Amino acid sequence: MAVTRKTGEVTIKDIAASLGIAHSTVSRALNDHPHVNPETKARVRRAAQALGYAVNSGARMMRSGASRLVGLIVPDVQNEFYNAAAKIMADYCAGEGYQLVLAVSEDDPEKELQQVQALREARVAGVLVAATASPRRDTIQMLKQLPTVQFLRRHPGIAGHSVRADDVLGIQKATAHLIGLGHRRIGYVGVTEELSTGRARADGYRNAFLEARLKPNAGLMRLGAPRPEFGREALIELLGLANPPTAIVVASPRLMLGVLEGVNRLQLSIPEDLSLVAYSDLDWYRVWQPAITAVALPVADMAATAALFLFRQIQQRSTEGAGSSTPFEPILNPRGSSAALPATLKPVKSARR
Amino acid sequence: MAVTRKTGEVTIKDIAASLGIAHSTVSRALNDHPHVNPETKARVRRAAQALGYAVNSGARMMRSGASRLVGLIVPDVQNEFYNAAAKIMADYCAGEGYQLVLAVSEDDPEKELQQVQALREARVAGVLVAATASPRRDTIQMLKQLPTVQFLRRHPGIAGHSVRADDVLGIQKATAHLIGLGHRRIGYVGVTEELSTGRARADGYRNAFLEARLKPNAGLMRLGAPRPEFGREALIELLGLANPPTAIVVASPRLMLGVLEGVNRLQLSIPEDLSLVAYSDLDWYRVWQPAITAVALPVADMAATAALFLFRQIQQRSTEGAGSSTPFEPILNPRGSSAALPATLKPVKSARR
DNA sequence: CTGAAAGCGCTAACAG
DNA sequence: CTGTTAGCGCTTTCAG
């Protein structure tokens, strides 16, 4: 029954024609404009429904400036943190009548630039981004022009609000937990300090030692790309040391996967041979045997907050955020993978905390 | 330096004005139209770059009918299968100059309808969808009007191509593997038969028995929503039977998570007390102890194929696909969680396959 | 309360 | 090879 024009799509003109009224009236009715006869509104709605009408958001956009799209730029959708965040954000957007446009940067600044460019072309209303370590100048420049909220990672060059976890505190908790269990030779496998998260987490590791009046051992730290392979190699390297660590803090889920591969490869038994603490708590950590001690990030809260701030910025049509909010506090969930250091193995003097 | 108009955005007219040429020439130059002086093209490109121009894809869309957007509708981004697929698809889209619009249905037909509606309003060029069990009439109707490729799940009402795994074969392999190891009382924890995948998988389970000239035991099957809670309860129920299974096939990752929770709750030791085979192979199955036997779906191939078919449909401007392609063959990866049934426990006569 | 008309930025005929 | 012109579907004055 639909009146088809060249494009085959139903337009407000079709509705107008079928009702014998002006298309501008249809537009007003559909947008719930106050000065329209309620009865007319109802008739228009019915006709729209019957004809299978859907607004052409492109055309609408041309008038009103921005689309009902929000860009989400993440390094990796497979990372549980990001996909959990994506879920919440998608939900939130749907609630506000927006759609999420997914852009995966793979931590490659070139891809990131292309993605931002594409989002700009799509005239997204705003962007949620966990940026790469060194975004291109142009990337930063473009993001400046858009309502932008950074989450998890924070790049100082990018304006706008940022929502993050207190990574320093989080890793500090993880490390202090191990120190409290008597460990002194504690390894650290984390992501490169080029990333804000990597830097903060490494600081957290060092802080924990300083707070306990101990000296962090830089020789037990391994920093690299957040990929399982690096985690595996780092673990094997650390355990191959003349004086290997008795516990390890693993600062990212992808690294943890590699570390566990290494654990199996070396046939280590956890926590007897080695205590482990993970950063960012995953579903399956609970069912590993022994269950894995982990520091949980409040993903849901963080994602919701990021979305909230973005919509606030969008509504105010401002491109500047209020700076960064109080960082979210990570929570330590002690489980079976971390245990007190057996006295026999204790390698250094036992300074209790 | 950018010439700003009402919207503050640079348009091709600005570029044209700055160069003293017609805006249509700029358009042609930017679109690499053949009949344009190479030198003019270069000048236009330079000017566009200098002014920070980005096409307004909404405006472009109005002329050319569809946007450079592709919708991706999944029930759950947290499911490893879907996020792996999303990654590949996003990649593929970026390669073709498209952006993925993420829509999460949460297996709720209402949400699905809203998402499809939103995608239609955004005039996406096509849709990749893993549909809910009973999509609304309107949902199906709308998808019919769009280039659509279904993946993983297949709903017969939705036209277009479908890319799926051979779920019957996959679960059959999993079950046959256990039968081959001497198990006879084999439990099955799977998703509801309302879903195409659920139906096929349950069939695979039954087929394996029939092929081995054994009788499947419906009393050992538990079907429900793909959520961990259901998996946990199903396991506990099955193990509470007077004559409990000695092995279990778990037909979805989310269910597997719950099953493993149950395993820990009941303090079962795997594979001594119970053999397990999972469906859909996850990274962390390899590092579980013992490593989990799983049937791997070729996600990457499936996702790439789905994207490929969609772009083919988009290019042909057709809304009909070539029907469903040969289903992808799942591969069994035997690992430590499945072992031969100890003779002492063997409950039935040992018919070897 | 409703209609007529303008114009958003772009592409594509049609003329040169 | 380039300019002129029309018009995509919509919102938004400006008149009634």
Side-chain angles (χ1 to χ4, degrees):
Chain A
M1 204 60 60
V3 183
T4 54
R5 307 172 68 82
K6 280 174 203 162
T7 68
E9 305 276 4
V10 183
T11 74
I12 51 171
K13 286 188 183 164
D14 296 323
I15 299 176
S18 86
L19 259 45
I21 60 177
H23 72 277
S24 52
T25 303
V26 174
S27 171
R28 279 187 285 251
L30 258 18
N31 290 311
D32 211 13
H33 197 88
H35 303 308
V36 178
N37 189 321
E39 204 205 309
T40 312
K41 271 187 194 172
R43 280 178 43 217
V44 169
R45 295 244 170 85
R46 242 189 327 271
Q49 177 74 33
L51 296 175
Y53 171 79
V55 281
N56 183 323
S57 59
R60 162 179 288 173
M61 198 213 71
M62 283 185 60
R63 309 275 345 172
S64 35
S67 65
R68 302 290 276 179
L69 298 172
V70 164
L72 172 66
I73 310 177
V74 293
D76 176 14
V77 233
Q78 312 221 41
N79 178 308
E80 285 84 351
F81 181 87
Y82 295 119
N83 64 47
K87 183 217 153 77
I88 311 276
M89 289 166 173
D91 216 44
Y92 223 94
C93 286
E96 300 270 335
Y98 283 74
Q99 286 294 122
L100 256 201
V101 180
L102 182 67
V104 183
S105 71
E106 289 178 18
D107 262 327
D108 173 352
E110 285 317 319
K111 283 204 176 147
E112 184 179 49
L113 175 56
Q114 282 165 14
Q115 300 281 18
V116 173
Q117 178 73 35
L119 294 178
R120 201 163 76 104
E121 292 182 358
R123 293 295 190 277
V124 293
V127 175
L128 293 159
V129 58
T132 59
S134 325
R136 295 259 158 279
R137 271 192 129 56
D138 298 355
T139 305
I140 294 177
Q141 193 51 39
M142 286 175 173
L143 290 178
K144 271 219 183 84
Q145 323 274 86
L146 282 171
T148 302
V149 172
Q150 296 190 69
F151 69 99
L152 194 62
R153 300 175 177 181
R154 164 156 182 76
H155 186 93
I158 301 173
H161 214 101
S162 95
V163 172
R164 38 189 244 288
D166 192 334
D167 281 330
V168 178
L169 179 60
I171 290 288
Q172 197 170 329
K173 280 185 176 183
T175 313
H177 167 69
L178 291 169
I179 293 175
L181 288 169
H183 294 273
R184 289 303 172 267
R185 294 192 61 78
I186 300 173
Y188 175 81
V189 179
V191 294
T192 164
E193 294 203 70
E194 283 164 23
L195 289 169
S196 64
T197 44
R199 212 157 40 241
R201 292 174 196 174
D203 284 345
Y205 170 77
R206 290 182 283 247
N207 278 6
F209 282 92
L210 300 176
E211 289 250 317
R213 303 175 162 280
L214 293 168
K215 251 189 59 186
N217 184 342
L220 294 181
M221 296 181 79
R222 291 293 180 279
L223 304 180
R227 304 184 184 287
E229 303 74 44
F230 175 73
R232 188 187 58 218
E233 296 312 318
L235 177 90
I236 292 175
E237 232 179 271
L238 286 173
L239 278 263
L241 292 177
N243 203 354
T246 61
I248 296 188
V249 174
V250 185
S252 127
R254 300 299 293 171
L255 292 175
M256 188 61 183
L257 190 63
V259 163
L260 291 178
E261 270 177 39
V263 162
N264 287 352
R265 178 86 59 93
L266 300 180
Q267 309 216 341
L268 300 176
S269 121
I270 308 291
E272 293 78 11
D273 298 334
L274 186 72
S275 281
L276 287 176
V277 180
Y279 193 65
S280 189
D281 200 1
L282 309 189
D283 280 344
W284 61 269
Y285 287 172
R286 278 178 300 132
V287 302
W288 213 73
Q289 284 172 323
I292 296 170
T293 298
V295 174
L297 304 179
V299 201
D301 289 350
M302 289 174 66
T305 305
L308 207 63
F309 279 133
L310 184 65
F311 285 118
R312 191 175 297 169
Q313 264 186 68
I314 291 173
Q315 262 135 41
Q316 297 172 350
R317 292 208 140 67
S318 87
T319 157
E320 286 293 323
S324 88
S325 65
T326 324
F328 284 78
E329 186 176 338
I331 307 294
L332 176 76
N333 293 324
R335 303 201 185 95
S337 71
S338 55
L341 182 68
T344 52
L345 287 181
K346 211 174 282 184
V348 221
K349 64 178 199 296
S350 69
R352 204 133 277 270
R353 176 166 145 70
Chain B
M1 205 63 60
V3 183
T4 53
R5 306 173 68 81
K6 279 173 203 162
T7 67
E9 304 276 4
V10 184
T11 74
I12 50 171
K13 285 188 183 163
D14 296 324
I15 298 176
S18 87
L19 258 43
I21 59 178
H23 73 278
S24 53
T25 304
V26 173
S27 172
R28 279 187 286 251
L30 258 20
N31 290 311
D32 212 12
H33 198 87
H35 304 308
V36 179
N37 188 321
E39 206 204 311
T40 313
K41 271 185 192 171
R43 281 176 45 214
V44 169
R45 297 243 170 87
R46 244 190 324 273
Q49 176 74 31
L51 297 175
Y53 170 79
V55 280
N56 183 323
S57 57
R60 162 179 288 173
M61 196 214 71
M62 284 186 60
R63 306 270 2 167
S64 35
S67 65
R68 302 290 276 178
L69 298 172
V70 164
L72 171 66
I73 310 176
V74 293
D76 176 13
V77 233
Q78 311 220 44
N79 178 309
E80 285 84 353
F81 181 87
Y82 295 120
N83 64 46
K87 183 214 152 76
I88 311 275
M89 288 165 174
D91 216 45
Y92 222 95
C93 286
E96 301 270 334
Y98 283 74
Q99 287 295 123
L100 257 199
V101 180
L102 182 67
V104 183
S105 71
E106 288 177 18
D107 262 326
D108 173 352
E110 283 320 317
K111 283 205 176 145
E112 184 179 50
L113 175 58
Q114 282 165 15
Q115 300 281 18
V116 172
Q117 178 73 34
L119 294 178
R120 200 162 79 102
E121 291 182 357
R123 293 294 191 275
V124 293
V127 175
L128 292 158
V129 59
T132 59
S134 325
R136 294 261 158 278
R137 271 191 129 56
D138 297 355
T139 305
I140 294 176
Q141 192 52 37
M142 286 177 179
L143 289 178
K144 273 220 181 82
Q145 321 275 86
L146 282 171
T148 302
V149 171
Q150 296 191 69
F151 69 99
L152 194 64
R153 300 176 178 180
R154 164 155 184 79
H155 186 93
I158 300 174
H161 213 100
S162 96
V163 172
R164 41 190 242 289
D166 191 335
D167 279 332
V168 178
L169 180 60
I171 289 289
Q172 197 170 327
K173 280 184 176 183
T175 314
H177 167 69
L178 292 169
I179 293 176
L181 288 169
H183 294 274
R184 290 300 173 269
R185 294 191 61 78
I186 300 172
Y188 175 82
V189 179
V191 294
T192 162
E193 294 204 70
E194 283 164 24
L195 288 168
S196 63
T197 45
R199 211 157 41 240
R201 292 174 196 174
D203 284 345
Y205 170 79
R206 290 182 282 246
N207 278 5
F209 282 93
L210 301 178
E211 288 250 318
R213 303 175 162 280
L214 294 168
K215 251 188 61 184
N217 185 339
L220 295 180
M221 296 181 78
R222 290 294 180 279
L223 304 180
R227 303 183 183 287
E229 304 74 46
F230 176 73
R232 188 187 57 220
E233 296 314 316
L235 177 91
I236 292 174
E237 233 180 88
L238 285 173
L239 278 262
L241 292 177
N243 202 356
T246 62
I248 296 188
V249 174
V250 185
S252 127
R254 302 298 293 169
L255 291 176
M256 187 63 184
L257 191 63
V259 163
L260 290 178
E261 269 177 40
V263 162
N264 287 350
R265 177 87 59 92
L266 300 180
Q267 309 215 342
L268 300 177
S269 121
I270 308 292
E272 292 78 11
D273 298 334
L274 187 71
S275 281
L276 286 177
V277 180
Y279 194 65
S280 190
D281 200 2
L282 309 188
D283 281 344
W284 61 269
Y285 287 172
R286 277 178 301 131
V287 303
W288 214 72
Q289 284 171 327
I292 296 170
T293 298
V295 174
L297 303 180
V299 201
D301 290 349
M302 288 174 67
T305 305
L308 206 63
F309 280 134
L310 185 64
F311 286 117
R312 190 175 296 169
Q313 262 185 70
I314 291 173
Q315 264 134 41
Q316 297 173 349
R317 293 210 139 67
S318 86
T319 158
E320 286 293 325
S324 87
S325 65
T326 326
F328 284 78
E329 186 176 339
I331 307 292
L332 175 75
N333 292 324
R335 302 201 185 93
S337 72
S338 55
L341 182 68
T344 52
L345 287 180
K346 211 173 284 185
V348 220
K349 66 178 197 293
S350 69
R352 205 134 277 267
R353 178 166 145 69

